[in-house]
Amino acid sequence: MAPILLNCMGNDHSEYIQEQVQVKNPYLDTMEEDILYHFSLGTKTHNLPEMFGDIKFVCVGGSANRMKAFAQFMHQELKLTGNPKDLQDICEGTDRYCMYKVGPVLSISHGMGVPSISIMLHELIKLLHHAQCRDVVLFRLGTSGGVGLAPGTVVITDKAVDYSFQPRYEQVVLGKVITRSTELDKGVAKELLQRSSELPNLPTVIGNTMCTHDFYEGQGRLDGALCSFSHEEKLEYLRKAHEAGVRNIEMESTVFAAMSRVCGLRAAVICVALLDRFEGDQITAPHDVLVEYQQRPQVLVSHFIKKRLAQAI
């Protein structure tokens, strides 16, 4: 039976007392072996508690190269022994995702869009459960389009919302639509905001993040292969989004928030805005500027992790 998750302080998700990462599938207990196919791992072929039992922080992001770079960055920040360039991809047996372990930190790529990250999350949550991990904090690090924000601004997500600005994720199961809440841990968000104030050149806000199912039409871009709306209609939609508290747009946050919440994981989404969508659709900043922007969520989360580890000593 999955461990019981207690909520001792009303509806504040940050007050959950977590005994162990949960799964919500009774059939897993009846399986002789659980093969985590897209990670190239399994409960019989690998000693998951030995490999991953000390994990306290999981950081996920779309790009394999970016998450490898983050793992190397964390290796340096935690002052671990060895050469960070020698880090091995735990998922090297597959080309779907990459995974690097750096002390108590796991860095994993999730690809682009809800379907890709949802597959990764199913196997990640099962991995943490099989490894008997406890008190894990899960972060999604990424890039996004800002809504009324200067490029380079980091957005810590309050609620992940859908196309109609509602905090929900709709999953079709056996032909029926299941709706799940997408509220994220407020305590972690507040702590991240506090940590951002301790770092130079890191403009940061808390706001809602809109998750769409594609990069072009779903986000109201005028530069895709298809466009069935006017420039004025685009701006009106963005204005409505901004009035609803939306400060950035990306493509993974709703399922990330929903699955984390159902399984009792404290989670946060931290994305940098690469442009203000009121000003345009195409990303035109120089490469070196974009690289620095993309590092900002990583710097913030690294600072958060180091502070948490120092407090635990």
Side-chain angles (χ1 to χ4, degrees), residues 89-113:
D89 180 4
I90 298 170
C91 297
E92 62 185 357
T94 176
D95 61 356
R96 295 298 183 186
Y97 306 106
C98 73
M99 179 190 297
Y100 300 91
K101 186 178 185 296
V102 185
V105 180
L106 207 56
S107 178
I108 311 174
S109 67
H110 59 61
M112 188 180 293

Side-chain angles (χ1 to χ4, degrees), residues 75 99 128 135 145 268 292 302:
H75 189 282
M99 179 190 297
L128 297 174
D135 304 316
E292 194 274 324
S302 168

Side-chain angles (χ1 to χ4, degrees), residues 13-83:
H13 188 63
S14 66
E15 300 296 339
Y16 282 169
I17 299 173
Q18 183 182 333
E19 291 187 359
Q20 184 178 322
V21 175
Q22 300 179 88
V23 290
K24 296 292 187 176
N25 180 0
Y27 293 100
L28 291 181
D29 290 337
T30 68
M31 296 169 57
E32 183 178 348
E33 178 181 12
D34 189 6
I35 298 171
L36 309 179
Y37 173 71
H38 300 90
F39 286 168
S40 194
L41 295 170
T43 53
K44 273 194 171 182
T45 55
H46 298 81
N47 187 334
L48 299 181
E50 182 179 285
M51 293 173 67
F52 301 103
D54 62 338
I55 290 297
K56 294 297 181 184
F57 308 97
V58 181
C59 304
V60 305
S63 164
N65 288 338
R66 194 181 305 156
M67 297 318 292
K68 179 179 181 180
F70 175 72
Q72 294 171 337
F73 173 64
M74 282 304 312
H75 189 282
Q76 294 174 323
E77 291 293 292
L78 297 179
K79 296 181 171 56
L80 301 181
T81 59
N83 189 335

Side-chain angles (χ1 to χ4, degrees), residues 23-24 29 42 59 181 196 203 213 283 301:
V23 290
K24 296 292 187 176
D29 290 337
C59 304
S181 170
S196 72
H213 290 292
I283 301 167
V301 170

